[in-house]
Amino acid sequence: MSSASSTSPIDRVLQLATHLTTNHNNNMQNGSHHADAFADVPLAPPDAIFQLTAAYKADKFDKKVNLGVGAYRDNEGKPWVLPVVKKAKALIQEQENIDHEYLAITGLADFTKASPKLIFGPDSDAIKENRVSAVQTISGTGANHLAALFLYKYYGPWKGKSDAEKVIYLSNPTWANHKAIFANIGCKTIDYPYYDAKTISLDFENFKKTLNEIPESSVVLLHACAHNPTGVDPTQDQWKEIAGIFEKRALFAFFDCAYQGFASGDLDNDAWAVRHFVDRKIPLLVCQSYAKNAGLYGERIGCLNVVSKDADEAKRVLSQLSVLQRSEISNPPSFGARIVSMLLNDEQMFQEWIRDVKTMAGRIIEMREALYDQLVNKLHTPGDWKHITTQIGMFSFTGLNPEQCKKMVENAHIYMTGNGRISMAGLNTNNVQYVAECIDKAVRGTL
Ligand code: LMR
């Protein structure tokens, strides 16, 4: 295996950051800045996930592979514009009366009316009884942020509590950004057991034990489907048990749903847990993202749905969400909302979208099988690799340790996060053998 050079791509990104800071500090000493306004600002490390993308792009190695960021790629390793999205864009272009006015503060009405139906189901009682307050957000990140801000200010059981007592419980591990989003608002985050590294599966007993021990009415973040980063979801029976504990302990379910459709290829199936909780009248909210399932990463289109006990409460909740949104972004962006609104409201386009989602989920499932086949049947790599095919969604938690992951990046030019997560969407028929061979070498200590 070729070693790229004496410095790895990640080191080069870090060196660039250091270089920029040194120049900045020299400028300060030379007197080219007058004030000390930001003299004490420490240099933050680059974002772990997006740093990988930057390093991958800068890498000249011909067999480089990006398994870092959770973004869908086609079998040629290229970003995929969904055919139905292309069609929606063309239709928007043709609309002569389209203008560039502000949307409402809560977003495009056609979108916020349709988006809850996708997650709760068109026949949901919560929707029929007008108990859902839906606000268009800056993708899933914005929905998580607005949700946490709203809870911080208005969650009843947190009334009179200090910041340190406003706790959001997060699965260990979780999407790296969760902690940062909630810390920015002032909430405290505490991990709950979720993943058992020894069995590479759900640590269900300890998960339940913790839910039974945390204070009543605690806020617990749950990944609605396709858990990021592990790809390990509870089964429907396990979800029922989890819901039972939420009921018994009056816990609040903060659902993050960034991958509806990616787990099973079926939008309804992937909403099963959320709908089960709604049926059981467990207090909850759901953050939706259309980055992955509509391939609209840059358009930043998402939705926050808060479910209330009655229509009057929902009206008050919506009014306060609107106030918060106004001070943060005033009005959400229109383009992504117009596209998704077409996908959700036009029956023919909805069916085409379902087909596109299946294409993406199906290719990922094929790649799981191909990687498993290479590791187990072709290379006889030490270890049990069943988890590669049993985990679902965009990601797989390979079980590689940080040292092995480092070697994958530095010696094999295969970009992946240090926790062993790989984005299955980065695999294709052209690179799966190379990736498997490198995993094999990493496991055998020869990479
Ligand atoms: C990921 O987990 O890779 C994606 O959700 C991208 C991101 O924002 O981190």
Side-chain angles (χ1 to χ4, degrees):
M1 181 59 51
S2 74
S3 171
S5 64
S6 52
T7 49
S8 73
I10 291 209
D11 286 340
R12 287 198 292 276
V13 171
L14 287 172
Q15 278 165 6
L16 178 65
T18 314
H19 171 74
L20 293 173
T21 326
T22 312
N23 277 353
H24 164 80
N25 290 344
N26 288 345
N27 285 342
M28 298 285 289
Q29 277 151 18
N30 294 342
S32 50
H33 288 57
H34 306 291
D36 270 356
F38 306 117
D40 291 334
V41 177
L43 180 70
D47 180 86
I49 289 173
F50 286 95
Q51 171 198 13
L52 285 173
T53 304
Y56 167 81
K57 282 187 178 160
D59 191 341
K60 298 276 182 280
F61 186 63
D62 60 346
K63 283 183 163 172
K64 66 180 178 175
V65 182
N66 190 3
L67 306 181
V69 69
Y72 184 77
R73 298 289 177 256
D74 65 13
N75 196 50
E76 302 311 312
K78 299 265 185 319
W80 195 54
V81 181
L82 276 57
V84 71
V85 167
K86 270 194 189 146
K87 191 168 167 182
K89 281 185 348 184
L91 288 171
I92 291 169
Q93 289 289 335
E94 281 168 19
Q95 287 174 0
E96 278 174 10
N97 59 350
I98 209 116
D99 57 35
H100 300 279
E101 292 298 291
Y102 294 122
L103 291 186
I105 294 170
T106 51
L108 186 70
D110 285 348
F111 168 76
T112 53
K113 209 164 174 309
S115 195
K117 290 186 192 152
L118 184 76
I119 185 68
F120 299 126
D123 299 324
S124 163
D125 284 346
I127 295 175
K128 283 191 197 143
E129 293 160 11
N130 295 318
R131 290 191 285 116
V132 180
S133 316
V135 174
Q136 184 187 327
T137 57
I138 307 291
S139 204
T141 306
N144 273 271
H145 171 80
L146 187 62
L149 188 61
F150 177 72
L151 291 178
Y152 182 88
K153 290 182 84 100
Y154 295 109
Y155 182 50
W158 282 356
K159 203 167 175 186
K161 295 257 163 87
S162 68
D163 283 12
E165 293 167 306
K166 295 180 177 179
V167 178
I168 301 184
Y169 289 86
L170 301 175
S171 65
N172 182 20
T174 192
W175 179 44
N177 212 15
H178 277 144
K179 283 189 184 167
I181 292 171
F182 303 138
N184 274 348
I185 285 164
C187 293
K188 187 176 166 184
T189 58
I190 297 182
D191 292 346
Y192 61 79
Y194 186 82
Y195 173 78
D196 183 351
K198 276 198 243 80
T199 58
I200 319 192
S201 63
L202 187 66
D203 188 359
F204 193 45
E205 291 312 311
N206 282 317
F207 178 16
K208 283 190 297 183
K209 187 167 177 282
T210 304
L211 291 181
N212 274 312
E213 286 170 0
I214 59 180
E216 289 200 344
S217 305
S218 291
V219 176
V220 181
L221 188 140
L222 299 167
H223 296 232
C225 63
H227 184 270
N228 178 5
T230 65
V232 174
D233 282 0
T235 62
Q236 289 191 358
D237 282 342
Q238 287 172 330
W239 274 123
K240 285 182 195 163
E241 277 192 64
I242 295 165
I245 305 174
F246 270 70
E247 244 168 22
K248 189 176 72 186
R249 316 258 1 270
L251 302 176
F252 185 93
F254 185 127
F255 274 107
D256 190 3
C257 186
Y259 294 91
Q260 191 177 353
F262 261 81
S264 65
D266 181 319
L267 292 158
D268 288 319
N269 211 35
D270 288 359
W272 190 90
V274 168
R275 293 179 191 177
H276 182 70
F277 273 58
V278 173
D279 287 348
R280 290 176 78 155
K281 299 243 168 27
I282 293 165
L284 61 88
L285 60 80
V286 187
C287 302
Q288 290 173 286
S289 162
Y290 291 93
K292 327 281 176 168
N293 57 14
L296 294 171
Y297 300 91
E299 281 64 27
R300 315 308 292 142
I301 174 68
C303 190
L304 168 62
N305 306 271
V306 181
V307 179
S308 289
K309 68 174 185 326
D310 57 39
D312 177 65
E313 184 177 287
K315 199 170 161 194
R316 288 181 278 115
V317 168
L318 186 67
S319 74
Q320 292 299 344
L321 288 172
S322 180
V323 170
L324 295 175
Q325 173 108 309
R326 172 70 166 135
S327 66
E328 299 242 308
I329 61 165
S330 276
N331 323 77
S334 58
F335 189 53
R338 285 186 178 132
I339 294 173
V340 176
S341 177
M342 278 191 184
L343 270 43
L344 295 177
N345 289 309
D346 179 304
E347 185 50 32
Q348 195 194 329
M349 289 179 89
F350 185 66
Q351 293 307 325
E352 289 175 31
W353 182 40
I354 289 177
R355 186 199 57 204
D356 292 347
V357 169
K358 276 196 176 37
T359 300
M360 293 190 283
R363 200 186 80 69
I364 288 175
I365 290 167
E366 277 170 25
M367 284 306 110
R368 289 187 181 280
E369 282 155 10
L371 182 60
Y372 178 85
D373 183 52
Q374 288 284 336
L375 291 171
V376 175
N377 301 327
K378 307 256 165 34
L379 299 162
H380 308 288
T381 310
D384 177 355
W385 297 92
K386 271 202 299 291
H387 56 277
I388 299 287
T389 49
T390 53
Q391 292 170 350
I392 49 180
M394 185 79 106
F395 303 109
S396 185
F397 230 38
T398 56
L400 294 187
N401 65 36
E403 188 54 32
Q404 292 165 335
C405 295
K406 194 161 178 268
K407 291 207 164 124
M408 291 286 283
V409 177
E410 294 184 353
N411 298 348
H413 307 251
I414 297 172
Y415 293 83
M416 59 185 289
T417 46
N419 57 6
R421 182 189 92 162
I422 56 174
S423 171
M424 298 306 292
L427 289 179
N428 56 54
T429 50
N430 306 311
N431 65 20
V432 65
Q433 186 182 340
Y434 173 68
V435 171
E437 284 167 0
C438 295
I439 293 178
D440 182 75
K441 285 184 186 149
V443 170
R444 292 180 198 273
T446 58
L447 189 61

